[in-house]
Amino acid sequence: MQKNKISANEAWKEIIKKYDIINRINKNGIFHIKASEIKEFKEPRLMAKWDCTSALPEALRNNKINILPNSRSSYVLGRFNLYEEIPELTESVNKMDSAELPALETIDINSITSESAAICILIISGILDDFLGDRDTVETFNGRMGTGEFDFSVNTVDGGKQIISVKNAQCEIDGGFENDKDVIILEAKNVVHEDFHIRQLYYPYRLWEQKVSKPIRLVFSVYSNMIFRLFEYRFSDKNNYSSIELVKAKNYSLQETHIEISDLVEIRNLTKIIFDDDCREDDNVPFIQANSFERVISLLENLKENAMTKEQIAELMEFDERQSDYYYNAGAYLGLFVKRIEGASKRVALTRLGEQILTMNYKERQLKFVQLMLQHQIFADCFDSIIETGELIEISEIEKLMRKYNVCKSTSTIHRRASSVQCWIKWVFNLVNL
């Protein structure tokens, strides 16, 4: 098979086998590999940048192996703990009443489809200044740059530590800022993940702490579903990659986000049940197997500009192609996504309904999502159970409903799919907390 035609997972299997990497890590704790050695199998840029754990190829994940760049032409492999979990969105959202956007024709808050656009909004809306508790913050640097030279320790999965030496590796900074008090490094995402790679903050931090005398503040930002989520982190020991600490977190929207239980109940009362047992596994659209409804929304937003192949979705969302199918099917289940033949490939595109939802304001959009779920009998029953009891419905009870409505014939997947139903219902009721 030609180089770059094989998957990253298959390529890593071959590399691990060729260089006996597992045994060498077991013996020495780390394994150094050159970019040229990776390139024999697949382009290094496609093999070494995994910004969340769900993106890691199984060949690495199953062996608890992670990878770090230590120069422009080499990497180090080991059983490192490299990722930081992102807290779930359960905290209240602050509407920026005091910082309305100016009337700019080139800014559309209903269509923020890139990380750079999200950063622009953070600046001109005053959200970044409000989060920092400062004023007159200006952008002064961004882009790719060399890290310089430094050493650090990192925790391993077995409770130990490893020392890593970095010599002019490459890092990319989404936004670098300065005000009278601080220098700020910002990493921005417009796709929802469960965690992030600490390297994205740590390498830029080590680069700039050698260059400036002002304190450095590290901000991680996620924009999705009309909400900006900002997290400030610090390293309690600059020489310890694993000493990352969450300083504070705050959520913002430029629109009204208040939704009450009465709003949800009203939607339930107005929604006609359309689907009961017609979304079985032998139909065109299988029953859902995607736990994160936030990621379904994130995919919806990113499909606004262009339809994508399964491979492009996997690259964007940073998960494997099987998960691409899961999240496509989840959106198709609600009538948001469709597959179309374009040339020699199938592409996932938005339906007219999907396009319509992206024109709605925050509250309209969320209640429309709720309506689309409640059109399915199983979600209506779960909703009614929670309203009646005040308790989250158990997965075992959801499994009973799935058998009743014949929406999942496979005994091997029924528990995972019931878990997805529970996660979606939790998302619905969490709307009243935002």
Side-chain angles (χ1 to χ4, degrees), residues 183-222:
V183 171
I184 301 97
I185 294 171
L186 183 143
E187 176 69 21
K189 300 293 182 186
N190 67 338
V191 174
V192 174
H193 299 300
E194 294 180 355
D195 54 22
F196 71 92
H197 204 303
I198 299 170
R199 178 204 73 246
Q200 296 169 102
L201 292 178
Y202 186 73
Y203 279 26
Y205 166 64
R206 290 302 305 268
L207 165 64
W208 281 94
E209 61 89 17
Q210 301 175 63
K211 292 186 172 188
V212 299
S213 58
K214 289 180 180 178
I216 294 178
R217 299 178 69 175
L218 305 170
V219 178
F220 188 86
S221 168
V222 181

Side-chain angles (χ1 to χ4, degrees), residues 308-433:
M308 297 186 202
T309 64
K310 181 168 67 173
E311 294 78 13
Q312 289 171 330
I313 290 173
E315 183 177 356
L316 169 76
M317 303 296 289
E318 297 194 77
F319 47 43
D320 61 35
E321 292 181 16
R322 180 175 57 181
Q323 286 179 296
S324 293
D325 283 333
Y326 293 160
Y327 279 86
Y328 162 74
N329 290 334
Y333 177 83
L334 297 180
L336 303 174
F337 305 153
V338 66
K339 284 183 179 177
R340 296 175 180 153
I341 304 294
E342 294 186 11
S345 63
K346 279 186 179 180
R347 292 181 180 269
V348 175
L350 297 183
T351 61
R352 185 171 297 179
L353 173 62
E355 293 172 348
Q356 178 188 4
I357 283 178
L358 290 178
T359 67
M360 297 177 179
N361 66 32
Y362 176 86
K363 185 171 182 177
E364 288 177 315
R365 183 190 290 192
Q366 311 319 304
L367 294 180
K368 186 64 177 180
F369 288 140
V370 174
Q371 179 196 16
L372 295 175
M373 291 183 200
L374 296 181
Q375 288 177 345
H376 295 264
Q377 186 70 62
I378 190 168
F379 281 93
D381 286 3
C382 291
F383 183 94
D384 293 344
S385 171
I386 294 173
I387 292 295
E388 181 180 346
T389 66
E391 300 291 336
L392 181 66
I393 187 168
E394 297 290 339
I395 289 180
S396 59
E397 292 301 311
I398 298 173
E399 290 177 3
K400 291 178 183 178
L401 290 172
M402 293 175 70
R403 294 187 183 98
K404 176 181 177 181
Y405 297 121
N406 197 26
V407 296
C408 180
K409 291 183 177 180
S410 171
T411 56
S412 65
T413 64
I414 190 168
H415 185 80
R416 292 200 300 273
R417 295 176 191 268
S419 173
S420 295
V421 173
Q422 188 189 63
C423 287
W424 285 27
I425 285 291
K426 283 173 66 177
W427 178 88
V428 169
F429 282 92
N430 188 55
L431 291 173
V432 302
N433 297 323

Side-chain angles (χ1 to χ4, degrees), residues 47-64:
M47 291 281 284
K49 186 177 180 292
W50 314 109
D51 288 345
C52 58
T53 52
S54 63
L56 279 168
E58 286 185 4
L60 297 180
R61 185 167 60 245
N62 291 347
N63 290 293
K64 298 181 179 179

Side-chain angles (χ1 to χ4, degrees), residues 81-87 152-155 161 187 195-203 205 218-220 231-248:
N81 286 323
L82 299 184
Y83 296 89
E84 178 75 4
E85 186 175 333
I86 299 173
F152 64 90
S153 66
V154 59
N155 292 350
K161 289 184 181 294
E187 176 69 21
D195 54 22
F196 71 92
H197 204 303
I198 299 170
R199 178 204 73 246
Q200 296 169 102
L201 292 178
Y202 186 73
Y203 279 26
Y205 166 64
L218 305 170
V219 178
F220 188 86
F231 307 88
E232 182 177 359
Y233 291 94
R234 68 181 170 210
F235 293 95
S236 59
D237 177 356
K238 77 172 186 179
N239 297 309
N240 184 351
Y241 178 104
S242 303
S243 68
I244 190 169
E245 298 174 343
L246 178 62
V247 177
K248 67 174 182 177

